[in-house]
Amino acid sequence: MYDVNMVRADFPVLDREVSGHRLVYLDSANTSQKPRCVVGAVEEHYLHHNANVARAMHTLGAEATEAFEEARGKVAGFINAAGAEEIVFTKNASEALNLAANTLGARLAPGDEVVVSVMEHHSNLVPWQLACQRTGARLRWFDITEDGRLDLAKAHAEGLIGERTKIVSLTWASNVLGTVNPIQSIADQAHAVGAVMVVDGSQWVPQAPCDARASGADILVFTGHKMCGPTGIGVLWGRGALLAELPPFLGGGEMIEIVRMEGSTYAPPPHRFEAGTPPIAQAVGLGAAVDYLAGLGMADVHAHEQEITARILQGMASLDFIHVMGPTEMADRGGAVSFTVDGVHPHDLMQLLDSRGVAVRGGHHCAAPLHRRLGIQSSSRASGYLYTTKEDVDALIETLDWAHDFFTGRTRLRSL
Ligand SMILES: Cc1ncc(COP(=O)(O)O)c(C=O)c1O
């Protein structure tokens, strides 16, 4: 039985006050809070095992290397990779997506097409724009329907995925709309035309059980700090045979085999893609984070997240001045709930909510084209996680009601 209060006891930050109010942290799609065990693993590493990996042939070097490679194995197990060699550590999801766009992108030629969607985070858009600019390939994208899902009918009518498609790169779950995309069936279409399927799992891997090999993806990317891990660590998983074919991304120490002045040969994956000193303590922290998540059980984490998100949607439906962007039903929906409030700018709202201890995000959430597509500049976003309670959600809804009154002057004297 999932006990959210026991979970909360692992996150000391949730006990603090903000602006004289209990902290209600609803910005987990931006970054999650960290449990004690993750902070402890990083501290333990720095205090007792710190050395560089692979290079130092002494006890501490061996311990650091073992801890780093052990973390790789834990991450591999967490997403059901075929083996640790399929896990490349990067500094975040953005770097992992740049790795994919640079290495896969090296195969592109004029006339080839790369398919993304209008709901992508900038991290899964700009690297592909750059790859297309470098190679003369064309960038195309899925549009969305009124309810914020991929417009599959329009894509079909346009022949979006076809003979020219070489890469399809899609987010698994939108960081704005919450939409969960049908990755498997789109991967089937991509594979039918010989294209490679890249999936941005930044918002989904933290929330739900993930089987990378069964997902349809050839490359799956995610970021440690949204799943209880430290900042500064990201992951690129790739099918072994594909990784083995790809050229290096960054050059430097650790990624080489033999270096001569005339040229170099490269290490096999994953080290081929990890130039220089990697984020060692951060990987150790991510290893502790996936242990923590696995210990809670990702099926239970997912069920909790769904319950909390449903309550947010239900609460917002009771306020007629709030307009939720994206699906309002829980089917194929993740935990990001973005919305606009009649007559109130998201930045003003964010500040006012903060004055009551409620942390949400306001802005374009690194998805400016999506906002433009929806005819708005910015929105507010509430996102819970495994430590979010029903009381947090109720505080959000009450505070939204109060904030709307405050800004529109409906009843300024009303208090919570
Ligand atoms: C869907 C999605 N992709 C990519 C990223 C980028 O993650 P990072 O900033 O850790 O590189 C984010 C972060 O907000 C995201 O939500």
Side-chain angles (χ1 to χ4, degrees):
M1 176 78 183
Y2 192 83
D3 183 343
V4 70
N5 289 318
M6 277 183 67
V7 171
R8 286 176 74 83
D10 296 329
F11 293 82
V13 72
L14 298 176
D15 290 336
R16 66 165 286 184
E17 292 197 339
V18 168
S19 317
H21 295 264
R22 181 177 79 82
L23 169 65
V24 175
Y25 186 75
L26 290 167
D27 196 19
S28 292
N30 200 352
T31 199
S32 74
Q33 296 300 343
K34 322 299 174 201
R36 277 178 212 279
C37 61
V38 168
V39 180
V42 174
E43 184 185 30
E44 162 74 15
H45 176 80
Y46 276 131
L47 292 183
H48 301 293
H49 309 284
N50 180 55
N52 211 331
V53 293
R55 311 172 182 187
M57 295 299 132
H58 47 64
T59 299
L60 290 187
E63 286 176 9
T65 305
E66 195 183 320
F68 182 64
E69 295 302 333
E70 191 187 11
R72 201 192 297 279
K74 288 179 181 182
V75 172
F78 187 70
I79 60 164
N80 195 29
E85 65 287 352
E86 292 188 341
I87 302 297
V88 179
F89 283 131
T90 60
K91 74 169 187 284
N92 50 34
S94 303
E95 188 183 72
L97 287 160
N98 277 277
L99 194 169
N102 276 268
T103 55
L104 286 172
R107 302 167 163 189
L108 293 169
D112 289 345
E113 294 181 354
V114 176
V115 174
V116 296
S117 83
V118 76
M119 69 168 78
E120 297 311 316
H121 188 283
H122 296 164
S123 296
N124 194 31
L125 173 60
V126 181
W128 300 111
Q129 289 175 335
L130 292 169
C132 288
Q133 280 165 21
R134 279 194 299 270
T135 58
R138 177 182 174 210
L139 188 72
R140 299 185 69 190
W141 54 90
F142 282 91
D143 195 8
I144 51 168
T145 58
E146 283 300 301
D147 60 348
R149 302 212 177 258
L150 288 184
D151 193 337
L152 300 175
K154 186 172 171 188
H156 182 70
E158 288 175 347
L160 185 66
I161 297 179
E163 298 283 282
R164 292 170 184 266
T165 312
K166 293 291 178 283
I167 301 163
V168 177
S169 189
L170 281 187
T171 191
W172 202 333
S174 163
N175 65 315
V176 177
L177 304 169
T179 314
V180 177
N181 290 321
I183 291 306
Q184 175 94 60
S185 71
I186 293 172
D188 289 346
Q189 290 174 48
H191 293 151
V193 295
V196 175
M197 183 75 191
V198 179
V199 174
D200 176 0
S202 302
Q203 293 290 343
W204 193 236
V205 175
Q207 286 185 26
C210 171
D211 185 334
R213 275 187 287 166
S215 69
D218 300 302
I219 286 181
L220 171 70
V221 158
F222 50 101
T223 196
H225 68 93
K226 294 188 201 287
M227 50 193 286
C228 298
T231 53
I233 182 83
V235 175
L236 180 144
W237 165 83
R239 293 187 188 275
L242 175 61
L243 288 185
E245 283 172 11
L246 294 180
F249 169 40
L250 302 172
E254 304 309 331
M255 50 73 69
I256 42 75
E257 200 175 47
I258 299 167
V259 180
R260 295 200 173 86
M261 289 314 291
E262 296 74 22
S264 305
T265 57
Y266 311 115
H271 300 105
R272 181 186 303 166
F273 307 106
E274 295 177 351
T277 300
I280 305 164
Q282 291 85 342
V284 170
L286 180 59
V290 300
D291 277 350
Y292 181 75
L293 292 170
L296 292 177
M298 284 307 289
D300 287 351
V301 167
H302 183 51
H304 179 74
E305 173 98 34
Q306 295 274 296
E307 197 184 329
I308 288 299
T309 308
R311 196 175 179 96
I312 296 177
L313 290 171
Q314 197 184 15
M316 289 190 176
S318 69
L319 301 176
D320 61 0
F321 51 85
I322 291 204
H323 308 284
V324 171
M325 300 147 61
T328 49
E329 306 291 324
M330 285 313 297
D332 295 324
R333 203 195 190 295
V337 181
S338 299
F339 57 98
T340 55
V341 179
D342 286 342
V344 186
H345 192 279
H347 285 157
D348 294 338
L349 183 72
M350 188 168 59
Q351 276 179 359
L352 202 62
L353 294 191
D354 188 54
S355 75
R356 293 282 173 132
V358 179
V360 299
R361 183 167 175 187
H364 56 47
H365 321 306
C366 300
L370 174 62
H371 281 77
R372 208 166 288 122
R373 166 68 181 79
L374 295 169
I376 54 178
Q377 275 197 328
S378 58
S379 61
S380 304
R381 182 182 70 188
S383 51
Y385 199 27
L386 43 79
Y387 37 66
T388 306
T389 60
K390 290 177 182 166
E391 291 72 30
D392 287 341
V393 176
D394 297 347
L396 168 73
I397 301 301
E398 278 174 31
T399 314
L400 282 171
D401 201 13
W402 166 78
H404 180 254
D405 281 1
F406 181 90
F407 279 114
T408 58
R410 240 180 13 187
T411 53
R412 280 194 189 227
L413 294 176
R414 219 172 118 200
S415 68
L416 283 175

